[in-house]
Structures are given as C-alpha cells and as structure tokens.
Amino acid sequence: MDPGTGAGDTAAGSGGRDEPQAEGHASEEHASGSVDEPGTVSGATSGTVSGAASDTASDTASGTGFLETYGPALATGSFDWDLDRGQMDLDDTALRLFDVRREEYNGRPESLSGRVPPVQAHRLDALVSQALKDGSASYGAYFRIRRRDGSPQWTHTHGYIHRDENGRPYRIVGLLRDATQELGDTTALPERVAQEAERYRTTSLVQNTTAALAHARTVRDVIDVLKDTHGLAHLGASNLVMGLVEAGRIRLVAEGPVGSFVPGTRFTRVDEPYPMSEVVRTMTPRFIESAQEFAAEYPLLWPHIEHLGITSAAYLPLIAQARSIGALGLLYERKTGFPEDERNVLVALGSSIAQSLQRAMFYEQESDLAQGLQQAMLPRTIPGVPGADIAVRYRSAALGRDIGGDWYDVIPLPGGRVGAVIGDVQGHDTHAAAVMGQLRIVLRAYAAEGHTPATVMARASGFLHELDTDRFATCLYAEADLSTGVVQFVRAGHVDPLLQLTDGSCRRVPVDGGLPLGLSAEFGRLEYPVTTLELDAGQTLLLYTDGLVEEPGADLDDGLQALASLAATGPRDLQQLADRLCAITDGRGGDDDAALLLLRRRMIDAPQSGGRLQQHVAPSDPEALAEARHMIRAAVRAWGARERSDEIELVADELITNALMHTDGSAIVTLRVLTGTDRRLRVEVEDSSSALPRRREAGESGVSGRGLLLVDRLADVWGVDSRGTGKCVWCEFIVPARD
C-alpha cells in the first residue's frame, strides 16, 4: 500500500475523532507507511510536528497573557510554504491562530510542533501528502490546535498547490481560520470532518477525471477514461451509458452493465420517453432518486433494466456551444438521493465531459478529412517498371489516428530509367497532407520534364518556398537507369537509404545531402550534391521515412541498425519483406507515420546494356562530326545490326545535323544497346536548346523539311525528352539478337 494513500484514507475516515481509539488507529495507520518521500509534506513535517511530545506543563502554566494581548477575535491568516527549502512563512494572524509568538517561530514547520497534537499532525500530513502525490490543485481540512492554556481550538486550512511544468509541487499558498465556533457542537464533529474529507475526495476525482479527459483524442478515448477503474465508478456509480446526437437521433456509444441493453435503443429519437432523450431535449439534468421513481417516470425502459438492481440514476446533458451533443447516464446500485453538493459536482463534470467529447469529435472529423485527402494524394497504383520489382507501404501513427505528410512515388522515365521518391512534410494534420500532395505532383512533373535529379530537388524546394505555408519537407530522390544499374541519389535533409545485397545482407548507403525542401530556397542554398551507386541485378534499395526507424527515447542509428537487421533476416519475396519491415512500428506508440519504398533490380529480364558509346560534337568542327559518323558505323556493325546499318546511320546523321544547325551549341551523341523482351539499339542526341523540333512540309527546293519525316519513317519509335538544360531527341531500332 502506498503510504500516502493509506494515510489519506485515515484522514477521510476517523482521523478527525477525539476518542482515544481514533487517535490510536490514526497513529498505527501512519506508522504502517514507514517510507516518506523526499520533498513531500511527509518528509517536511511528519518527523517534526507529529514527533514532538504532547503539550508540556510549562506551556500550560505560561498563562494567558498572549490571549489578553491579542484578544479572542481571530481573523483569517495566510501562509506561504516553499517545499524545496522547507520554509513556511506565516503572517501575524496565522501566528495568533497557532498561539505562537513571532520570536518563537523561525520559519520552519518544526516551530509549530508544540501546538498541534500528534494524531492531528499525522492526519493533516497524510492528507496534504496525498494531494501532492495525486496531482490535486488544492486541499482543505479541519484540524485541532491546543493553545497555551490547554484549551482546544479547531482550525480550518485550505491550501493551493503550485507545480512546475513537469507537475512537481514546489509551493503551497493557503489560508487558516478559526473554526471553533463553527464546530462548537462536538457531537457533530466527526460527521463534519468526514463530510470535508468526502468533499475533498469528490473534488479530487473530478480533477483527476478532467485531467485524464484532457488527453483523450477520440470519442472512444473519452469513453475509456470514464469507464476506467479510476474514473466515474469511484463516485459510486456501477456503470454508465452514453449517447451522442447525430442527425436528430441519439446513437448509443457506451452501454451500461452486461445485460442492460434494451433492444431498439441503439438509435432513439429525441422525442421518445427515455431519460436520455429527455435531458437532450430539455438540456437539463435528470436525477432519479429511487427505483420507484424510475419505474413511475419511465415505464417503457424500467421493465428491461429492473433485474439489474438499479436504485438511482443521474442523467446529464452534454452541452457544448449552447447545444446538446449527447447525454451521459450514471447508474447506481446501492444509493438513493442526490445531495445538492453532489448534484453540482456531477453537473460540472458533465460540462467537462461535453467539452472533451466535442474536441474529440472535431479531431475525428479532421482526421477523417486528412486521411481521405492523403489517400487521394498518394498514388492509387504503382506503375509496372520493366526491369524492376517495386513494393510500397504506408502506415499511420497511433493506429491510423494521426495523418501526416509522408509520401512515396514511382515515376517511369524514358530510356529504361525510373525515379523513386520518398518524403515527409512537417506536421500531422490536413495542411501537411495538402502540402504533400502538391509536392508529389511538382516532383513528378519536374522529373518527367527530363531535369537532372539535382535540378528536380532544387525546383521542388523553390516551389515549396513560394507556397503560402511555413512547412518544410525532407525528401530523397533516386533516379535509376535499369539498363546500366546506375542510380543517382539526391537527398534533402532526409535519412539515408539502405541497400540489400543479393546474399540478403543490408547496409546503409551514405548520401551527400542538402537542406530540406523549402529551407534551402529560403537560405539560398539550392545546390544539391549527387551521389552515384551501381545497383546490381538482384539488389534492393530501401527508401523510408524517419517514422520507420525513430522511436521515442532511442537513438536514430539504433533504429537504422534494427531496420537493416530485420531486412537481412527477412523473406526474399519483396511484398512479404515490405510487410515485415512495416511491422517494426507495431506496439511502438510513436506519434509519427511511416512510408516505405522497395525497388529491386530484376536478375533475368532487366534491360542489360550490350554497350554504350558517346561522342561530343562541337559546332563548326567537321573532324568531330566525321568521328561521330565513323563511331556510329563501327558500333552498328560490331553490335550485329548490319541489316539496319544504313537506316541507323542516316537517322543519326540527320539528328546530329539538326542539332548543330538549329542550335547555337554543341551536340552529344549517345549509342547503346538495350536487351529485354527484344533487342534494341538506341540513339540519343542532346543539345542545349529547349525549342522542340516539329515536323513540317519540305520546301520548294526539296532540300529542307525532310529530317523528322525520315526519322519517323525509318525508326521503330522516337521521341523528345525535355532536359533541365535543353532537350534530347532519341530513336530506337529493333535489331536481331546476337549469336
């Protein structure tokens, strides 16, 4: 048993009696709690006030000069108790109440030990200790003082507890008053002290319940707080029922005890003859003080619950913003009647519950809206990418109650390339989800335009900076050429990716990074370094957000190591591996969501490069142009495409000539062989002009206007990709497989 709790129970029971048995019982109860916590009232007063001997004869014989000096009329005094220093400051009136001279008091509670009998000190000390421990904001109690002349004086104290931001009590400020006349009838004294203790207990329960409701985020949380063993059941209620108003009807969200559900009452109208309907309709509480009254007032309901042994009930309207949002019913089995004080407490509690419920309903509405918005913003399906297997997962924090700005995306790009994006917008609300959706769209657009990974990230940062928002985002963009296995990474404040090798082992990939999106534009630091990695067939990239590896109170590196170890021992099937990695968040209780993207290069049908050649052709450089033509002729024959060599050479020459004639810069010619479902030879010609080529009719002389017509007729497929610094005109020819 907690020592403070045991002592508090004594104070609430017979600790206020003057009989020897009561005093002896209180002393034993205090003695049973032998450990006093440092910094509490137990440590400050128990060993002093209660440890002093009873009033000595010299105290009694000292005369009544003190009373004659100050007179019998004692007003209200005050005290200020610094718990950290153990210093208690008393004003003059408080000193007169204790019958202590100013020069006799040194500012320590020990100086008052001669005035408070040990049993009274024990009871008061236990009461204050319990208030400090259970988080109460105040306490009140009656206790007896023995004056110098031996006469008893009843005193009432009320203290207000000050706590720091961590809830630790550090100061008590309170009042003292003479209650002798108020409690002059000693026969009524035990009952009066018991009532005081009961009021304190009820007030503490209301305060504790209100404090617990402050942390409730959903309607289910509110119901769980009220049904908790430390909740409303301690007010004497055997159980509760609760209904919420929805579309003019009352929906039952919390049932009473087992067997109490009345068929047909899951949804009830406001005008039906039920107590819950009545309090919603009238917005006034209904206190049913006996079983007979219940049966007479609600004949439709009583036959269904008569077997439960209910003797009374309190139905409270839940009112928020001047309208009824529901009703709460408290059911009692061994209680009749509701005193005025108890009614007031229950009405106040109903108001607190209503505010918590409305806050919870607003939260659930916002959460549903954010979840719907986020699901709409995330890709509905992941496109199939030749040469790669992909798995994605998203998991909300706190079992779906929080919605954040985590996202993933897969962007198919020309030339056997693919872009993989993972990111996290700051915050967990609708706004974060909206910003996430916009960022995903612009990143996809910039990547599809052909910009380099660094340019894609820089432009996305500038876009976020120009939005009307104070949010920033972390992001990792990986562009993989599946034909060569080359992956380019750009990181904006995000966590590093992981790489799983073909033997199952997993390691961290250090990626040079820049500032998060939005911040880099704000501080003018838009240069993002690029890190390159060669991804072999069968290897897997793991991209994820920090919600997958961060755990409250743990180091981020530990989380990364745990994820890598889990991947190393996980299944080889990519979808099963994604499920297992996401399960790392189960039971963690964090407040962050998590996204995961796995990309594995296929071992069998991955487009594999049969060769790659590149030539730079400067303007007005006939030798470079001749070298490019020679390179094309030799490569076509070496790669086994002799049957189409004339077509390929003609088209490549046409693309190079157009680039040199219609732009002011040079051209870069790239040839490569791609093997997949068929074998293809690809020709790419890059230039620095953003103007796109267009087909047109040949001129009268027949010399110009035939270039793109030739490309369209001779190539199996062709196209134009915008690049960050210009464009790339490409074409592909299906060629026979090599022997």
Side-chain angles (χ1 to χ4, degrees):
M1 176 184 294
D2 183 88
T5 305
D9 292 340
T10 304
S14 61
R17 304 173 188 264
D18 288 334
E19 291 83 3
Q21 296 90 341
E23 293 191 359
H25 176 69
S27 298
E28 291 173 3
E29 190 72 28
H30 181 77
S32 66
S34 58
V35 180
D36 290 334
E37 294 184 5
T40 66
V41 108
S42 292
T45 64
S46 292
T48 56
V49 175
S50 62
S54 59
D55 299 325
T56 62
S58 59
D59 292 331
T60 306
S62 60
T64 57
F66 188 78
L67 287 174
E68 293 172 354
T69 301
Y70 291 99
L74 299 178
T76 300
S78 64
F79 66 89
D80 190 338
W81 191 355
D82 188 329
L83 298 178
D84 293 332
R85 296 189 300 117
Q87 186 77 15
M88 179 186 288
D89 295 328
L90 299 174
D91 64 5
D92 291 340
T93 305
L95 287 173
R96 289 199 298 270
L97 284 170
F98 277 106
D99 202 356
V100 174
R101 298 185 177 92
R102 172 64 65 182
E103 61 271 17
E104 296 174 337
Y105 184 61
N106 61 3
R108 311 289 294 185
E110 295 90 321
S111 302
L112 306 176
S113 60
R115 304 272 65 86
V116 184
V119 172
Q120 299 294 316
H122 286 321
R123 185 174 59 80
L124 181 60
D125 179 68
L127 179 67
V128 178
S129 295
Q130 182 64 22
L132 294 176
K133 291 178 182 179
D134 64 18
S136 299
S138 64
Y139 65 87
Y142 291 92
F143 66 98
R144 182 163 52 84
I145 291 176
R146 186 173 297 167
R147 304 187 63 83
R148 293 177 183 269
D149 62 0
S151 62
Q153 171 191 296
W154 281 101
T155 306
H156 181 268
T157 181
H158 197 100
Y160 298 89
I161 303 172
H162 294 256
R163 302 177 185 273
D164 60 18
E165 62 275 8
N166 297 320
R168 184 185 68 86
Y170 66 89
R171 183 186 181 194
I172 301 177
V173 178
L175 301 174
L176 293 161
R177 62 181 177 84
D178 186 349
T180 302
Q181 186 174 2
E182 177 184 349
L183 299 180
D185 183 5
T186 57
T187 60
L189 187 57
E191 180 181 354
R192 193 63 182 271
V193 173
Q195 289 175 354
E196 179 74 18
E198 180 64 22
R199 279 195 296 269
Y200 165 73
R201 188 180 72 86
T202 303
T203 303
S204 296
L205 284 169
V206 173
Q207 291 174 343
N208 294 339
T209 302
T210 302
L213 287 172
H215 300 282
R217 304 174 68 181
T218 66
V219 173
R220 186 71 258 170
D221 290 343
V222 173
I223 296 172
D224 289 343
V225 168
L226 299 181
K227 282 195 168 185
D228 185 75
T229 55
H230 299 288
L232 290 182
H234 281 198
L235 290 177
S238 59
N239 218 306
L240 61 86
V241 291
M242 181 186 294
L244 296 180
V245 177
E246 296 178 356
R249 298 188 304 170
I250 301 175
R251 178 172 67 91
L252 194 65
V253 296
E255 299 179 14
V258 178
S260 65
F261 176 69
V262 179
T265 60
R266 182 70 64 189
F267 292 91
T268 56
R269 299 191 310 273
V270 177
D271 59 351
E272 292 191 63
Y274 294 117
M276 198 173 292
S277 301
E278 179 182 332
V279 299
V280 167
R281 186 173 61 253
T282 63
M283 299 178 65
T284 56
R286 181 71 169 89
F287 295 98
I288 305 172
E289 302 195 77
S290 65
Q292 294 75 16
E293 181 181 356
F294 209 137
E297 295 292 333
Y298 303 100
L300 292 181
L301 178 61
W302 180 251
H304 297 281
I305 62 175
E306 183 178 6
H307 65 283
L308 299 175
I310 296 174
T311 58
S312 61
Y315 286 88
L316 309 172
L318 302 176
I319 301 173
Q321 295 183 339
R323 67 182 185 89
S324 292
I325 63 172
L328 172 69
L330 301 178
L331 309 177
Y332 299 85
E333 294 181 0
R334 291 179 295 274
K335 173 185 175 62
T336 57
F338 293 91
E340 189 65 27
D341 288 350
E342 187 175 357
R343 294 190 179 203
N344 293 335
V345 169
L346 292 177
V347 170
L349 186 61
S351 177
S352 177
I353 295 171
Q355 300 302 318
S356 299
L357 274 174
Q358 186 181 53
R359 185 174 62 249
M361 289 189 290
F362 284 158
Y363 174 83
E364 288 184 344
Q365 291 172 2
E366 182 180 2
S367 179
D368 291 342
L369 176 62
Q371 187 173 14
L373 178 61
Q374 185 178 52
Q375 293 302 320
M377 293 299 183
L378 287 174
R380 290 183 177 273
T381 58
I382 296 300
V385 177
D389 294 319
I390 298 174
V392 294
R393 294 293 185 274
Y394 174 83
R395 179 158 298 191
S396 298
L399 302 177
R401 294 176 181 175
D402 273 340
I403 298 299
D406 289 26
W407 89 94
Y408 55 80
D409 203 1
V410 177
I411 310 169
L413 299 172
R417 294 176 296 121
V418 61
V421 185
I422 199 81
D424 183 4
V425 177
Q426 175 197 19
H428 299 86
D429 51 21
T430 308
H431 186 54
V435 172
M436 174 272 289
Q438 296 177 80
L439 266 181
R440 190 182 76 84
I441 292 171
V442 299
L443 270 166
R444 171 176 280 269
Y446 291 144
E449 285 179 358
H451 298 289
T452 64
T455 302
V456 169
M457 199 69 81
R459 293 199 173 190
S461 181
F463 171 84
L464 181 57
H465 180 60
E466 293 174 1
L467 281 181
D468 185 18
T469 179
D470 57 353
R471 307 295 177 92
F472 64 85
T474 66
C475 183
L476 178 69
Y477 176 59
E479 184 174 299
D481 188 335
L482 297 173
S483 64
T484 63
V486 175
V487 183
Q488 299 181 74
F489 294 97
V490 180
R491 185 170 65 88
H494 205 75
V495 288
D496 287 327
L498 297 177
L499 174 65
Q500 186 184 46
L501 306 180
T502 53
D503 62 359
S505 61
C506 194
R507 64 178 176 86
R508 182 175 181 174
V509 180
V511 175
D512 295 334
L515 292 175
L517 302 183
L519 295 182
S520 60
E522 181 176 351
F523 293 108
R525 297 171 59 182
L526 289 172
E527 297 80 13
Y528 284 97
V530 178
T531 300
T532 303
L533 170 75
E534 290 189 12
L535 185 68
D536 294 336
Q539 293 183 343
T540 306
L541 285 177
L542 285 74
L543 312 183
Y544 50 91
T545 56
D546 55 6
L548 202 65
V549 293
E550 276 189 339
E551 185 173 0
D555 188 81
L556 179 62
D557 289 337
D558 294 338
L560 288 173
Q561 184 60 42
L563 185 66
S565 300
L566 192 64
T569 59
R572 290 300 298 164
D573 180 80
L574 202 64
Q575 302 299 330
Q576 295 178 11
L577 178 62
D579 290 334
R580 180 171 182 182
L581 294 180
C582 257
I584 197 174
T585 62
D586 292 346
R588 181 176 293 173
D591 59 355
D592 200 4
D593 44 357
L596 173 69
L597 188 154
L598 305 181
L599 186 148
R600 176 178 295 167
R601 190 175 176 217
R602 287 181 188 160
M603 300 187 67
I604 300 176
D605 60 345
Q608 299 176 7
S609 177
R612 182 177 182 272
L613 298 173
Q614 193 172 72
Q615 178 72 37
H616 181 272
V617 182
S620 304
D621 187 353
E623 291 185 4
L625 181 58
E627 290 178 359
R629 289 170 175 167
H630 178 74
M631 178 195 72
I632 295 170
R633 186 178 302 110
V636 168
R637 294 177 180 179
W639 290 342
R642 288 179 178 271
E643 296 180 1
R644 305 195 66 176
S645 60
D646 292 339
E647 301 172 12
I648 296 172
E649 292 175 25
L650 179 59
V651 169
D653 189 69
E654 185 66 35
L655 293 180
I656 297 171
T657 303
N658 284 343
L660 296 176
M661 289 182 58
H662 299 295
T663 66
D664 297 329
S666 58
I668 299 176
V669 185
T670 304
L671 274 77
R672 70 179 72 186
V673 174
L674 305 178
T675 58
T677 54
D678 49 37
R679 188 165 179 263
R680 292 166 292 136
L681 191 148
R682 181 181 177 91
V683 180
E684 297 177 353
V685 178
E686 298 180 62
D687 60 56
S688 58
S689 173
S690 59
L692 301 180
R694 58 186 180 86
R695 293 176 55 179
R696 56 191 177 89
E697 297 295 332
E700 294 181 359
S701 62
V703 176
S704 62
R706 301 183 184 274
L708 289 182
L709 180 62
L710 286 173
V711 173
D712 185 63
R713 293 289 178 88
L714 298 178
D716 293 307
V717 61
W718 72 281
V720 182
D721 294 339
S722 296
R723 298 288 170 89
T725 56
K727 66 178 180 295
C728 173
V729 183
W730 57 271
C731 57
E732 293 180 357
F733 300 85
I734 298 176
V735 296
R738 300 182 64 176
D739 296 334

